[in-house]
PDB file of all heavy atoms in Angstrom:
ATOM      1  N   PHE B  90      18.054   7.514-161.161  1.00 98.00           N
ATOM      2  CA  PHE B  90      17.619   7.358-159.772  1.00 98.00           C
ATOM      3  C   PHE B  90      18.782   6.740-159.009  1.00 98.00           C
ATOM      4  O   PHE B  90      19.895   6.632-159.537  1.00 98.00           O
ATOM      5  CB  PHE B  90      16.335   6.506-159.710  1.00 98.00           C
ATOM      6  CG  PHE B  90      16.529   5.022-159.915  1.00 98.00           C
ATOM      7  CD1 PHE B  90      16.115   4.097-158.956  1.00 98.00           C
ATOM      8  CD2 PHE B  90      17.138   4.527-161.083  1.00 98.00           C
ATOM      9  CE1 PHE B  90      16.289   2.734-159.138  1.00 98.00           C
ATOM     10  CE2 PHE B  90      17.321   3.158-161.273  1.00 98.00           C
ATOM     11  CZ  PHE B  90      16.896   2.269-160.296  1.00 98.00           C
ATOM     12  N   ILE B  91      18.603   6.361-157.753  1.00 98.00           N
ATOM     13  CA  ILE B  91      19.640   5.609-157.042  1.00 98.00           C
ATOM     14  C   ILE B  91      19.062   4.278-156.585  1.00 98.00           C
ATOM     15  O   ILE B  91      17.870   4.165-156.334  1.00 98.00           O
ATOM     16  CB  ILE B  91      20.238   6.379-155.842  1.00 98.00           C
ATOM     17  CG1 ILE B  91      19.178   6.673-154.771  1.00 98.00           C
ATOM     18  CG2 ILE B  91      20.892   7.679-156.312  1.00 98.00           C
ATOM     19  CD1 ILE B  91      19.760   7.258-153.486  1.00 98.00           C
ATOM     20  N   ARG B  92      19.925   3.277-156.517  1.00 98.00           N
ATOM     21  CA  ARG B  92      19.455   1.965-156.077  1.00 98.00           C
ATOM     22  C   ARG B  92      20.534   1.308-155.213  1.00 98.00           C
ATOM     23  O   ARG B  92      21.718   1.648-155.304  1.00 98.00           O
ATOM     24  CB  ARG B  92      19.067   1.089-157.259  1.00 98.00           C
ATOM     25  CG  ARG B  92      20.215   0.632-158.113  1.00 98.00           C
ATOM     26  CD  ARG B  92      19.735  -0.132-159.340  1.00 98.00           C
ATOM     27  NE  ARG B  92      20.830  -0.971-159.842  1.00 98.00           N
ATOM     28  CZ  ARG B  92      20.972  -2.271-159.588  1.00 98.00           C
ATOM     29  NH1 ARG B  92      20.070  -2.919-158.883  1.00 98.00           N
ATOM     30  NH2 ARG B  92      22.015  -2.944-160.039  1.00 98.00           N
ATOM     31  N   ARG B  93      20.099   0.371-154.396  1.00 98.00           N
ATOM     32  CA  ARG B  93      21.002  -0.274-153.443  1.00 98.00           C
ATOM     33  C   ARG B  93      22.023  -1.143-154.170  1.00 98.00           C
ATOM     34  O   ARG B  93      21.678  -1.902-155.068  1.00 98.00           O
ATOM     35  CB  ARG B  93      20.206  -1.111-152.443  1.00 98.00           C
ATOM     36  CG  ARG B  93      21.065  -1.763-151.369  1.00 98.00           C
ATOM     37  CD  ARG B  93      20.236  -2.343-150.241  1.00 98.00           C
ATOM     38  NE  ARG B  93      19.868  -1.335-149.268  1.00 98.00           N
ATOM     39  CZ  ARG B  93      20.654  -0.946-148.249  1.00 98.00           C
ATOM     40  NH1 ARG B  93      21.847  -1.476-148.083  1.00 98.00           N
ATOM     41  NH2 ARG B  93      20.235  -0.035-147.402  1.00 98.00           N
ATOM     42  N   ALA B  94      23.280  -1.043-153.763  1.00 98.00           N
ATOM     43  CA  ALA B  94      24.332  -1.894-154.316  1.00 98.00           C
ATOM     44  C   ALA B  94      24.311  -3.246-153.604  1.00 98.00           C
ATOM     45  O   ALA B  94      23.851  -3.345-152.469  1.00 98.00           O
ATOM     46  CB  ALA B  94      25.688  -1.229-154.136  1.00 98.00           C
ATOM     47  N   GLU B  95      24.813  -4.270-154.270  1.00 97.00           N
ATOM     48  CA  GLU B  95      24.831  -5.612-153.648  1.00 97.00           C
ATOM     49  C   GLU B  95      25.631  -5.602-152.359  1.00 97.00           C
ATOM     50  O   GLU B  95      25.258  -6.225-151.377  1.00 97.00           O
ATOM     51  CB  GLU B  95      25.420  -6.627-154.623  1.00 97.00           C
ATOM     52  CG  GLU B  95      24.348  -7.322-155.424  1.00 97.00           C
ATOM     53  CD  GLU B  95      24.937  -8.393-156.327  1.00 97.00           C
ATOM     54  OE1 GLU B  95      25.824  -9.144-155.884  1.00 97.00           O
ATOM     55  OE2 GLU B  95      24.493  -8.468-157.486  1.00 97.00           O
ATOM     56  N   ALA B  96      26.765  -4.918-152.382  1.00 97.00           N
ATOM     57  CA  ALA B  96      27.592  -4.831-151.171  1.00 97.00           C
ATOM     58  C   ALA B  96      28.056  -3.390-151.010  1.00 97.00           C
ATOM     59  O   ALA B  96      28.314  -2.703-151.999  1.00 97.00           O
ATOM     60  CB  ALA B  96      28.804  -5.753-151.299  1.00 97.00           C
ATOM     61  N   PRO B  97      28.140  -2.920-149.759  1.00 97.00           N
ATOM     62  CA  PRO B  97      28.605  -1.545-149.562  1.00 97.00           C
ATOM     63  C   PRO B  97      30.099  -1.415-149.866  1.00 97.00           C
ATOM     64  O   PRO B  97      30.835  -2.402-149.878  1.00 97.00           O
ATOM     65  CB  PRO B  97      28.331  -1.284-148.074  1.00 97.00           C
ATOM     66  CG  PRO B  97      28.248  -2.615-147.437  1.00 97.00           C
ATOM     67  CD  PRO B  97      27.806  -3.581-148.489  1.00 97.00           C
ATOM     68  N   SER B  98      30.537  -0.185-150.122  1.00 96.00           N
ATOM     69  CA  SER B  98      31.970   0.072-150.312  1.00 96.00           C
ATOM     70  C   SER B  98      32.669   0.043-148.949  1.00 96.00           C
ATOM     71  O   SER B  98      32.013   0.085-147.902  1.00 96.00           O
ATOM     72  CB  SER B  98      32.163   1.438-150.960  1.00 96.00           C
ATOM     73  OG  SER B  98      31.880   2.458-150.023  1.00 96.00           O
ATOM     74  N   PHE B  99      34.005   0.008-148.962  1.00 95.00           N
ATOM     75  CA  PHE B  99      34.756   0.033-147.708  1.00 95.00           C
ATOM     76  C   PHE B  99      34.403   1.271-146.893  1.00 95.00           C
ATOM     77  O   PHE B  99      34.322   1.239-145.670  1.00 95.00           O
ATOM     78  CB  PHE B  99      36.265   0.014-147.977  1.00 95.00           C
ATOM     79  CG  PHE B  99      37.094  -0.066-146.732  1.00 95.00           C
ATOM     80  CD1 PHE B  99      37.389  -1.287-146.155  1.00 95.00           C
ATOM     81  CD2 PHE B  99      37.572   1.086-146.123  1.00 95.00           C
ATOM     82  CE1 PHE B  99      38.133  -1.367-144.983  1.00 95.00           C
ATOM     83  CE2 PHE B  99      38.320   1.019-144.947  1.00 95.00           C
ATOM     84  CZ  PHE B  99      38.603  -0.209-144.388  1.00 95.00           C
ATOM     85  N   GLY B 100      34.169   2.372-147.583  1.00 94.00           N
ATOM     86  CA  GLY B 100      33.852   3.630-146.901  1.00 94.00           C
ATOM     87  C   GLY B 100      32.403   3.749-146.471  1.00 94.00           C
ATOM     88  O   GLY B 100      32.016   4.756-145.896  1.00 94.00           O
ATOM     89  N   GLY B 101      31.581   2.731-146.777  1.00 96.00           N
ATOM     90  CA  GLY B 101      30.208   2.742-146.282  1.00 96.00           C
ATOM     91  C   GLY B 101      29.163   3.203-147.279  1.00 96.00           C
ATOM     92  O   GLY B 101      27.987   3.315-146.928  1.00 96.00           O
ATOM     93  N   ALA B 102      29.547   3.470-148.530  1.00 98.00           N
ATOM     94  CA  ALA B 102      28.545   3.821-149.539  1.00 98.00           C
ATOM     95  C   ALA B 102      27.672   2.597-149.808  1.00 98.00           C
ATOM     96  O   ALA B 102      28.169   1.479-149.862  1.00 98.00           O
ATOM     97  CB  ALA B 102      29.221   4.291-150.826  1.00 98.00           C
ATOM     98  N   ILE B 103      26.379   2.826-149.960  1.00 98.00           N
ATOM     99  CA  ILE B 103      25.448   1.702-150.111  1.00 98.00           C
ATOM    100  C   ILE B 103      24.699   1.713-151.436  1.00 98.00           C
ATOM    101  O   ILE B 103      24.009   0.759-151.755  1.00 98.00           O
ATOM    102  CB  ILE B 103      24.399   1.670-148.971  1.00 98.00           C
ATOM    103  CG1 ILE B 103      23.587   2.972-148.938  1.00 98.00           C
ATOM    104  CG2 ILE B 103      25.080   1.433-147.623  1.00 98.00           C
ATOM    105  CD1 ILE B 103      22.417   2.933-147.962  1.00 98.00           C
TER     106      ILE B 103
END
Side-chain angles (χ1 to χ4, degrees):
Chain B
F90 76 123
I91 62 172
R92 69 185 201 99
R93 183 168 277 276
E95 266 184 43
S98 72
F99 184 86
I103 59 172

